[in-house]
Amino acid sequence: MYDSTPEVTPAILECLSQLSLTEHMIESVRHSVLKTLQATRPQHLAVVTRFILTGTQPAIAYQVISDMREKINLPGDCVGVGSSSSSKSHTKTNNEEADYELLLFNTIKMATLSQKYLTTAWLKAIQDVGNVGSVRPLDLLLLLLLHDAVPSQRHPIESMIRNKIRAGLLSDAMLGHIFTTHTTVLRENFDPLKKIASLLLRSPEPVVSGTGVTLYRLSFLHLGKYSRQEVVLGLLRHLGDTSNARTAALSLLATLTHNHTQAIAPFTIFIKGSLDSVEDVCSGEMRRVVDVVSMLVYSSPTHAALQDELIILVRKQLSHTDLRYKHLGVLNAAFAVKNMVKVDDNNTTTSTTNTSGLLNTSVLKEAENLLHLVLSSTCQHPTASALFMDEMASITLRDGLNARIQEWVCEKMTDDFQERFVCDYQGNTEPHNTLLPLVSCWNLTDNDTESEQTNIILNLGPLVLQDELLKNTPNVNKTQLVCLTPQFRLLRMLESRLHDGDLTNIDALLGCPVYAPPNSTWTNFTQLTKPQQHAALSCLFHTLNWFREVINAFVTQKDPDLKAKVYQRLQNVIEIQDLLLEHLPHCTSYTPSLATFHLDTSPSTTTTGAGVAAAYTINLHPAKKPKKGRKPNVTKGKKGKKGKDVVSETTQVLPSQSNTQLAPVIPTQPTTQTTTKKGSTNTEVVVGTLEPGSLRPFLRELHLDVFCLLFRKLALHTDVTNEGLLTLPQAEFLLTDLNFKLAHVFGSGTKRISPFTPDKSYGCTHLDVFTGGEVAQRAHQFLKPICVHLEQINAFFQIMIADNDGVLDADNMFTNTTQPLITLNTQLFNTLYLFFSWSGLQQEENTDILNAILRTVAKKLEGSEAVKTMGIEELTWSVCRYVSNFQPSVMSLTTATTLSTTLTALAALPHHQDLNATVVDVIEAVLKRDWYTTGGERDKGATYNQHVNTLLKEYLRLSKDPLKCLENLCSVAVEEFLAATGRDPYSHTFPTLNKGTLSIYHRIILSFLVSGTKKSLSSLTNTNTEDRYNRLLVWNSAIKILHTTINILKTHNSKNLLASCLKYGRMFLDVFVRCGMPLLDSCLRGHNQDVVILLKSLQASTRILQHVCTHSKVTQDTSLTTHVPPLKKCLEMLVFRVKAMLAVNNCTNAFWMGTLKNRDLHGHEILSQSMREDDDEDEDDDNEDNDVNDGQSDVELDDDDDGGGGDGDDRQTTSSQHSQHNDDKSTDYSSSF
């Protein structure tokens, strides 16, 4: 009747629960109900669940709940991830199913409150889910329910959620599906959901914090008005958290404001209150708050009073003498002008206050007056003026301004720019200066004698020298040189808006020359005075920033002559940057002016100069040691350590003038004095080196449009200077900056970010005005030239490998010609990785972007026509095959690791079932290959080890059968390494296993042994005899792997190896006791010899583990001894559990237990113990002999935790008491799982 008439299921189960049935009959009925649980109707789920959970014994709770978790089908789970049913015809049905779902979770909640062991079983079942395909919405919903219902389990639940996020099991796509289909349950459990979202957002790990942001965003969109208010208040409370949490909260608040303005408008009064605390945050966070408040205040006519308050606040801030408040007023004014009068798609004026012509004109007049106020208030403060121009340029770039305001601002900016920075060029007439000679430099119009472009020149040098001469003169107005690039950026943005992208009116600035010091200045740079050096370096910095901004402006122009000049300016940028890197170390007292005006000027850093100095300092690498015979006249130190201290001690921050931005100085370096034969002293400056990234705070930001320059064909040789080719330095320069920007926008790794670390993401201020999706939409076009360059470089290396008959370390493989190509190849793969690893690709709103990115790359393999009809899974499979084809031609392990991580990023996307196998094959090929440095020597070192660690983890994580891979590594790689001889032994099959990487292989094999064993066991779901034997074989393989890895300690016993054995050996034994021993209980009678052999093999490993414990105590190494107590506990539990197994099978006489001796790692007995325990030694030997003769497992017991205190008889008695006392407890514990 139960099977044939589902309508009476509740009545049948209710009747059965009231009958006095035997335990065996109840188990039989429960088993039958579990079989049909998957097909149970939604309205019956609560009744069926209550029947199954009621009376479930602790011994079988884990297995029952694991089956329930797999078979319960929640309403909506049949709908694919990322989609939902919104048809009105199903509204009533959906509401009923939501009620049934809520009733189901209430039933589970009541059951867990009445039986605490059910909570443990539920958490264990959810924790054991290890792959994305096995994750179900039920998991997260139950975690929320238990988090609220069982306070004692809150910390473990929070830890479990974080671990699943790190493992990629709780993706944004899965969360979106849960919020779409299970709204009612989430609404009922909103309090624990809000707590978990807040906890995750505060995490220092970007990937965990990003999930917290996703929970807040989905709660706002799906859970109703009350939840919206709580989300807004929760985000505002995060303004008092660390910088990372504030940034994440404000970014989400800005996104919700831009995309859902009307939904968040009712909470404007709450958000406006955040302006009271905005002065305590950094400039980037300040900008987001001001943007959100301004948009909401001007979003509705009902906010007229708030608009007046905002204007009054702006006027107060602009008139403030503190530059920090003036900067805040500039930001408020810029966004107020933007939102006063918005621009629609037809470029017509739309007033937010009224649509009548009269009011429209008055609003425009008010905006114009506000602009006048800003310009007049900042005329004596160049940095505030530059900040305003940059903000207006960013607003124009993203949203545009009213046409009338654009024309007015453009006209004023053009007149001011010509008056300040441009002058007529009179041929060979050069300006006269007493500090430095100045000449016309970098002119691109010399051959165009008839053009008017040769009649102007940028008056940069004289302005720099004027500032240098007036530097120490008080109460003298400085030049507005700092406004040069921001003003030009605003000017070109307005010109582009007004003339549909045409910059003909200002194209003379692209090729015009610049007044700068002549080349002789750099030849004799060290002979110049300090003021002359400072002036010369300032000229270089300002010229470099000018050229970078010119490239930003004209890179979008289609004229071939302008395009050619842009490439020439790019080459000028590289040359000037090289000059700076060469000469800056010679002038350590020089202070460059900042080129980005959004850097942190909050009180927390401006009052303590050390914070800004750490954030905005040009870092010099330590200088090389002087040649032999030259004694440096500096403080003595050991192994260069003092040299590093000297650098840090000599790094200082100059006092700020008029409370302006604090600027860094270059760390000074020690000098070396050498005494000649005649007794004279010769002072030689020990100069360090600079990294290009150290200059980033002092350089103007390149826009995304600049990377269109990558579309040129690549010149493979560094000596090629043909026109129309992209040289290797140019390609490397562009890719370095592109990858930096993509990492800033897309990067969301698991690396923790310290709340005390200053934000070093400068160089992306203008990029931050766009969301991640908008950046991806604009930047995915660059994947086409990226793929072209990849094919070109790898074809070059394929030809070289073929010419050398496959020899990878030939003389011509690593030369000055190939080294830049290897570096460039790595950067190209890194670009692909940054695109595919972006977590936003898994969000439903970015599906079109994902398709566009995949199609751009897949076209290179499948063709343009074929990709049009492909789905996402097919496209991902094609991209995977395309990228994996480059593996044989990569020349460095760094490149191969980047290629492999790109493939693993693809594996996180919806993919074909064979993709993981392809990725595993590629990584295995990388691990089986010899790798060499650029000098042709075998690669090694810390970076090499880090790459091997990454590759090996991904190899085992993506493997379909990790246990088989581990067995292959142990039987082949490890055995070959142990058999190898020589100074640097290594495995011939896996050359990446060598003396330096042994600890990495050892640790990763042990760490994946537990998860690999669980994964192999999970594929065996039946309970028949054949399946039990297969499970026994799985445990046999796992124990062999354990024995092989632990046996390494006999010949190699470094601290890292010992720590891995102690930590992961305990984890394996714990799993074996919980999951393996119940299997042995049922297999002992049918497979007696197999069970005995398995236990003996395990005992060989536990003996070595016991020796490691003794060694740790003897050496008193705290990093090792912390693992000893839990390991010894597991060893004792194993002994007790074996005794329980024998008792279950009525063969307790086969159990012998003696006292194990303390031995060192080599098996030698510790003499101090043998002197006290001669009698116990004889008894122990006799027991071992009897065990072997009886053919039973010779189980031994470990020493006490105190390392062998007391006599043998006392320990034996204690052991027996422990055995008898814990017999039932041990049996119950093991059978519960």
Side-chain angles (χ1 to χ4, degrees):
M1 182 181 295
Y2 180 83
D3 296 332
S4 59
T5 55
E7 294 82 3
V8 296
T9 295
I12 294 174
L13 296 180
E14 183 67 23
C15 179
L16 290 174
S17 62
Q18 300 299 323
L19 296 177
S20 298
L21 302 177
T22 64
E23 184 177 348
H24 177 71
M25 295 179 64
I26 293 176
E27 288 297 327
S28 177
V29 173
R30 185 180 290 112
H31 183 68
S32 301
V33 173
L34 269 174
K35 281 185 175 180
T36 60
L37 180 60
Q38 195 166 8
T40 303
R41 296 180 179 181
Q43 58 268 33
H44 299 158
L45 273 177
V47 177
V48 174
T49 301
R50 181 170 62 249
F51 175 80
I52 295 174
L53 293 178
T54 302
T56 299
Q57 298 300 317
I60 60 173
Y62 172 75
Q63 188 62 43
V64 170
I65 286 177
S66 296
D67 292 342
M68 289 182 61
R69 180 194 161 278
E70 292 289 337
K71 295 178 180 179
I72 289 180
N73 284 330
L74 297 177
D77 282 355
C78 56
V79 182
V81 174
S83 62
S84 63
S85 176
S86 58
S87 176
K88 293 183 179 180
S89 61
H90 293 170
T91 302
K92 183 177 180 180
T93 304
N94 291 339
N95 292 336
E96 292 177 353
E97 290 180 345
D99 294 337
Y100 298 145
E101 186 177 288
L102 190 59
L103 185 60
L104 168 66
F105 282 97
N106 287 334
T107 301
I108 296 175
K109 180 178 181 179
M110 295 304 299
T112 54
L113 289 176
S114 59
Q115 302 291 342
K116 292 184 178 180
Y117 61 85
L118 292 179
T119 301
T120 305
W122 276 114
L123 293 179
K124 184 60 183 172
I126 297 174
Q127 183 180 9
D128 286 346
V129 179
N131 56 78
V132 178
S134 301
V135 179
R136 310 195 65 191
L138 179 68
D139 298 339
L140 179 62
L141 298 176
L142 276 173
L143 290 177
L144 293 176
L145 184 145
L146 296 176
H147 187 276
D148 183 52
V150 189
S152 61
Q153 294 293 332
R154 286 178 182 174
H155 182 70
I157 289 173
E158 293 164 359
S159 178
M160 188 186 304
I161 291 175
R162 283 192 293 264
N163 290 334
K164 289 189 177 297
I165 293 172
R166 296 185 188 107
L169 301 181
L170 287 180
S171 63
D172 288 352
M174 172 62 73
L175 294 176
H177 170 65
I178 294 173
F179 274 83
T180 303
T181 55
H182 306 287
T183 306
T184 304
V185 177
L186 290 171
R187 193 178 292 118
E188 289 294 323
N189 293 277
F190 180 71
D191 286 341
L193 175 63
K194 183 176 63 174
K195 292 178 182 178
I196 290 177
S198 176
L199 178 73
L200 296 179
L201 189 140
R202 291 188 177 97
S203 173
E205 302 176 57
V207 64
V208 178
S209 179
T211 303
V213 171
T214 300
L215 291 177
Y216 270 125
R217 178 176 59 84
L218 294 174
S219 298
F220 184 88
L221 297 178
H222 295 283
L223 301 186
K225 187 173 181 179
Y226 167 75
S227 301
R228 290 177 180 175
Q229 176 177 327
E230 290 299 313
V231 167
V232 172
L233 293 176
L235 292 175
L236 292 177
R237 278 192 288 270
H238 284 294
L239 295 182
D241 289 338
T242 62
S243 175
N244 301 320
R246 286 199 307 267
T247 301
L250 289 173
S251 297
L252 176 59
L253 203 59
T255 301
L256 294 176
T257 303
H258 282 88
N259 299 335
H260 309 279
T261 307
Q262 297 305 317
I264 205 173
F267 316 112
T268 302
I269 191 65
F270 299 139
I271 299 175
K272 184 183 178 298
S274 62
L275 285 178
D276 298 334
S277 60
V278 74
E279 60 191 46
D280 298 326
V281 302
C282 67
S283 298
E285 298 163 0
M286 185 190 306
R287 183 181 183 278
R288 289 187 175 93
V289 174
V290 170
D291 184 16
V292 170
V293 172
S294 177
M295 177 174 290
L296 291 176
V297 165
Y298 287 97
S299 64
S300 173
T302 60
H303 296 156
L306 296 177
Q307 294 171 11
D308 294 339
E309 291 181 13
L310 184 61
I311 295 299
I312 293 174
L313 179 63
V314 170
R315 292 180 179 274
K316 288 182 178 179
Q317 291 171 339
L318 289 175
S319 60
H320 206 286
T321 56
D322 191 337
L323 188 61
R324 183 162 48 86
Y325 288 98
K326 194 175 290 291
H327 281 186
L328 182 56
V330 165
L331 291 175
N332 271 315
F335 285 105
V337 170
K338 165 194 167 185
N339 292 291
M340 277 182 184
V341 180
K342 296 185 178 180
V343 179
D344 60 15
D345 295 335
N346 298 322
N347 202 29
T348 57
T349 303
T350 308
S351 172
T352 59
T353 307
N354 199 310
T355 56
S356 65
L358 180 62
L359 267 182
N360 209 13
T361 304
S362 64
V363 171
L364 288 174
K365 188 64 176 178
E366 184 179 358
E368 188 174 331
N369 292 337
L370 189 57
L371 290 175
H372 274 293
L373 177 63
V374 174
L375 294 176
S376 61
S377 301
T378 60
C379 61
Q380 301 298 325
H381 303 277
T383 56
S385 180
L387 175 62
F388 175 70
M389 294 175 187
D390 261 339
E391 275 305 321
M392 292 299 294
S394 297
I395 292 172
T396 305
L397 172 64
R398 177 180 172 85
D399 303 306
L401 294 171
N402 175 264
R404 177 176 168 180
I405 293 180
Q406 286 184 165
E407 291 177 359
W408 180 81
V409 175
C410 183
E411 181 179 356
K412 183 168 182 57
M413 289 295 107
T414 302
D415 295 339
D416 289 348
F417 189 85
Q418 290 179 350
E419 181 180 352
R420 290 179 179 178
F421 307 115
V422 179
C423 61
D424 294 334
Y425 181 50
Q426 304 295 333
N428 295 326
T429 304
E430 308 297 350
H432 297 284
N433 293 279
T434 57
L435 189 60
L436 272 180
L438 296 175
V439 296
S440 172
C441 302
W442 296 295
N443 186 8
L444 301 183
T445 59
D446 290 340
N447 297 328
D448 190 5
T449 57
E450 297 180 359
S451 174
E452 295 181 356
Q453 295 179 1
T454 59
N455 295 332
I456 62 172
I457 188 171
L458 193 70
N459 194 32
L460 190 147
L463 295 177
V464 171
L465 298 183
Q466 182 180 346
D467 274 348
E468 186 65 30
L469 293 173
L470 299 177
K471 177 187 297 185
N472 299 321
T473 305
N475 301 324
V476 176
N477 293 333
K478 306 296 178 60
T479 66
Q480 296 286 330
L481 187 59
V482 71
C483 298
L484 169 63
T485 48
Q487 188 168 354
F488 174 73
R489 179 171 180 257
L490 175 58
L491 174 60
R492 71 97 172 175
M493 289 290 182
L494 296 172
E495 283 285 342
S496 180
R497 280 280 182 176
L498 292 173
H499 301 95
D500 297 327
D502 185 16
L503 299 179
T504 304
N505 293 338
I506 60 173
D507 61 0
L509 295 173
L510 174 59
C512 75
V514 178
Y515 278 132
N519 292 333
S520 58
T521 303
W522 313 114
T523 305
N524 305 315
F525 184 78
T526 56
Q527 301 175 6
L528 300 178
T529 63
K530 289 297 181 183
Q532 289 176 328
Q533 289 182 344
H534 291 180
L537 291 174
S538 294
C539 285
L540 277 187
F541 268 108
H542 285 290
T543 305
L544 178 57
N545 285 323
W546 167 250
F547 286 161
R548 289 171 71 97
E549 205 59 65
V550 164
I551 293 174
N552 285 336
F554 294 97
V555 72
T556 57
Q557 301 302 296
K558 305 300 181 183
D559 184 81
D561 294 335
L562 295 179
K563 185 69 73 175
K565 291 180 180 180
V566 169
Y567 279 102
Q568 288 179 299
R569 286 303 184 211
L570 176 62
Q571 186 60 36
N572 295 150
V573 166
I574 297 174
E575 294 170 356
I576 296 175
Q577 182 170 296
D578 291 341
L579 277 176
L580 283 172
L581 295 175
E582 178 184 354
H583 293 100
L584 270 173
H586 295 279
C587 186
T588 55
S589 60
Y590 174 65
T591 306
S593 58
L594 296 175
T596 303
F597 308 100
H598 298 80
L599 296 180
D600 192 2
T601 56
S602 59
S604 60
T605 57
T606 54
T607 57
T608 59
V612 177
Y616 315 128
T617 301
I618 297 181
N619 297 317
L620 281 171
H621 286 290
K624 295 182 179 180
K625 294 182 179 180
K627 293 182 179 180
K628 186 176 181 180
R630 297 182 180 180
K631 299 179 181 180
N633 187 20
V634 294
T635 306
K636 294 181 180 180
K638 294 183 179 180
K639 298 182 180 180
K641 182 177 180 181
K642 192 64 179 179
K644 183 176 180 180
D645 295 337
V646 171
V647 173
S648 61
E649 290 172 0
T650 54
T651 302
Q652 57 181 340
V653 179
L654 297 181
S656 58
Q657 297 180 2
S658 303
N659 201 20
T660 57
Q661 291 172 306
L662 293 176
V665 299
I666 305 171
T668 58
Q669 300 292 320
T671 60
T672 303
Q673 291 184 349
T674 304
T675 304
T676 63
K677 294 182 180 179
K678 296 182 180 181
S680 61
T681 300
N682 179 24
T683 301
E684 177 186 354
V685 178
V686 181
V687 181
T689 58
L690 277 176
E691 286 291 340
S694 301
L695 302 180
R696 190 171 287 117
F698 315 99
L699 302 181
R700 294 292 292 178
E701 178 183 344
L702 294 178
H703 289 200
L704 281 178
D705 294 333
V706 171
F707 304 110
C708 293
L709 299 176
L710 290 169
F711 278 89
R712 264 194 177 184
K713 184 180 179 181
L714 186 65
L716 293 183
H717 300 284
T718 55
D719 57 345
V720 173
T721 56
N722 297 336
E723 294 293 334
L725 293 179
L726 184 68
T727 64
L728 293 182
Q730 292 173 350
E732 183 178 356
F733 175 83
L734 293 172
L735 286 172
T736 300
D737 198 76
L738 174 61
N739 290 341
F740 173 79
K741 288 178 167 56
L742 294 180
H744 173 74
V745 178
F746 297 155
S748 58
T750 58
K751 184 178 180 181
R752 291 176 175 268
I753 301 176
S754 172
F756 306 105
T757 302
D759 182 17
K760 294 189 178 182
S761 61
Y762 32 70
C764 298
T765 305
H766 305 323
L767 192 66
D768 287 339
V769 302
F770 300 101
T771 63
E774 291 171 336
V775 173
Q777 186 67 45
R778 298 181 59 187
H780 83 271
Q781 59 176 318
F782 307 134
L783 289 174
K784 183 176 180 180
I786 295 295
C787 293
V788 172
H789 298 331
L790 271 176
E791 294 172 2
Q792 192 176 357
I793 292 175
N794 285 275
F796 172 79
F797 283 119
Q798 286 176 359
I799 294 174
M800 289 192 66
I801 295 173
D803 292 342
N804 290 283
D805 299 327
V807 178
L808 298 177
D809 59 340
D811 294 337
N812 63 338
M813 296 296 291
F814 302 99
T815 62
N816 293 333
T817 301
T818 59
Q819 184 175 352
L821 290 174
I822 294 174
T823 303
L824 193 62
N825 204 26
T826 304
Q827 290 182 330
L828 292 169
F829 281 116
N830 192 32
T831 306
L832 291 180
Y833 166 73
L834 290 170
F835 270 102
F836 295 131
S837 63
W838 180 42
S839 60
L841 292 178
Q842 301 180 16
Q843 297 176 2
E844 182 181 0
E845 58 266 25
N846 294 326
T847 303
D848 293 338
I849 298 175
L850 175 59
N851 270 299
I853 291 174
L854 293 175
R855 284 198 174 97
T856 303
V857 181
K859 284 179 183 178
K860 309 299 295 181
L861 185 66
E862 305 290 347
S864 301
E865 295 298 328
V867 298
K868 293 181 180 179
T869 58
M870 288 184 175
I872 291 182
E873 292 187 2
E874 294 176 313
L875 289 171
T876 306
W877 172 238
S878 297
V879 173
C880 176
R881 289 189 291 116
Y882 173 77
V883 175
S884 61
N885 289 338
F886 294 115
Q887 183 270 324
S889 57
V890 295
M891 299 304 299
S892 73
L893 184 60
T894 302
T895 310
T897 304
T898 310
L899 182 149
S900 301
T901 52
T902 303
L903 293 176
T904 58
L906 286 170
L909 301 175
H911 60 267
H912 193 270
Q913 58 182 357
D914 296 332
L915 189 144
N916 282 1
T918 301
V919 178
V920 169
D921 291 340
V922 171
I923 298 178
E924 184 176 358
V926 173
L927 292 172
K928 289 183 175 181
R929 179 172 161 182
D930 280 315
W931 296 102
Y932 302 93
T933 63
T934 53
E937 301 175 351
R938 189 180 294 274
D939 201 357
K940 60 182 179 179
T943 303
Y944 177 84
N945 295 346
Q946 183 179 1
H947 292 326
V948 172
N949 179 74
T950 301
L951 291 169
L952 197 56
K953 281 185 177 179
E954 296 301 329
Y955 172 64
L956 295 173
R957 184 180 68 85
L958 297 175
S959 176
K960 186 177 181 180
D961 190 356
L963 201 63
K964 184 177 180 180
C965 294
L966 291 173
E967 194 170 5
N968 182 45
L969 288 173
C970 290
S971 61
V972 179
V974 175
E975 294 296 340
E976 288 180 354
F977 173 80
L978 294 177
T981 58
R983 184 176 180 181
D984 295 319
Y986 65 93
S987 169
H988 294 285
T989 306
F990 287 85
T992 50
L993 173 56
N994 52 44
K995 190 175 181 180
T997 59
L998 174 61
S999 60
I1000 295 174
Y1001 267 81
H1002 185 264
R1003 172 174 49 81
I1004 293 177
I1005 289 175
L1006 284 175
S1007 65
F1008 274 88
L1009 180 58
V1010 174
S1011 59
T1013 304
K1014 287 182 179 180
K1015 190 172 183 179
S1016 297
L1017 292 173
S1018 63
S1019 62
L1020 304 172
T1021 56
N1022 296 328
T1023 58
N1024 53 36
T1025 304
E1026 182 181 356
D1027 237 15
R1028 284 202 298 269
Y1029 183 70
N1030 291 333
R1031 287 172 177 266
L1032 197 63
L1033 294 179
V1034 169
W1035 280 112
N1036 189 40
S1037 299
I1039 290 174
K1040 284 183 179 179
I1041 296 170
L1042 177 69
H1043 181 67
T1044 302
T1045 52
I1046 291 181
N1047 207 40
I1048 296 176
L1049 298 180
K1050 292 183 177 180
T1051 55
H1052 301 80
N1053 48 26
S1054 66
K1055 182 177 177 180
N1056 291 335
L1057 298 179
L1058 296 175
S1060 299
C1061 286
L1062 291 172
K1063 178 179 180 181
Y1064 297 108
R1066 178 196 62 80
M1067 295 172 62
F1068 179 83
L1069 292 177
D1070 182 58
V1071 174
F1072 179 76
V1073 170
R1074 289 189 286 108
C1075 303
M1077 289 307 300
L1079 175 67
L1080 300 188
D1081 290 344
S1082 59
C1083 293
L1084 183 60
R1085 292 185 180 276
H1087 306 282
N1088 185 4
Q1089 294 300 320
D1090 294 329
V1091 172
V1092 171
I1093 293 174
L1094 186 146
L1095 286 175
K1096 283 189 175 183
S1097 178
L1098 178 62
Q1099 189 180 18
S1101 301
T1102 57
R1103 280 199 183 108
I1104 300 177
L1105 289 176
Q1106 173 62 31
H1107 298 162
V1108 175
C1109 292
T1110 305
H1111 171 79
S1112 302
K1113 290 183 177 180
V1114 170
T1115 58
Q1116 297 182 352
D1117 191 332
T1118 56
S1119 62
L1120 297 179
T1121 54
T1122 54
H1123 300 290
V1124 171
L1127 175 58
K1128 292 176 72 68
K1129 179 181 178 181
C1130 285
L1131 291 171
E1132 292 180 359
M1133 288 177 60
L1134 175 62
V1135 175
F1136 301 146
R1137 189 59 183 84
V1138 171
K1139 182 178 180 181
M1141 177 194 69
L1142 297 175
V1144 170
N1145 289 275
N1146 298 322
C1147 50
T1148 53
N1149 294 332
F1151 184 81
W1152 288 81
M1153 183 164 58
T1155 303
L1156 192 64
K1157 301 176 182 178
N1158 284 337
R1159 300 181 186 271
D1160 58 19
L1161 293 176
H1162 301 288
H1164 301 304
E1165 185 180 349
I1166 297 178
L1167 297 179
S1168 60
Q1169 185 184 17
S1170 63
M1171 296 174 63
R1172 298 193 307 264
E1173 301 181 356
D1174 293 337
D1175 296 335
D1176 292 276
E1177 179 182 2
D1178 296 335
E1179 181 182 353
D1180 186 74
D1181 292 340
D1182 293 338
N1183 289 340
E1184 291 183 1
D1185 293 338
N1186 292 333
D1187 290 344
V1188 174
N1189 294 332
D1190 291 342
Q1192 301 295 336
S1193 176
D1194 51 338
V1195 181
E1196 297 178 355
L1197 186 65
D1198 305 74
D1199 296 335
D1200 291 339
D1201 287 349
D1202 58 2
D1207 57 29
D1209 293 337
D1210 291 340
R1211 289 197 304 274
Q1212 180 71 31
T1213 303
T1214 304
S1215 302
S1216 301
Q1217 291 174 352
H1218 276 296
S1219 176
Q1220 186 174 0
H1221 178 72
N1222 290 294
D1223 214 0
D1224 296 337
K1225 181 179 178 181
S1226 178
T1227 303
D1228 293 342
Y1229 180 77
S1230 61
S1231 57
S1232 297
F1233 298 97

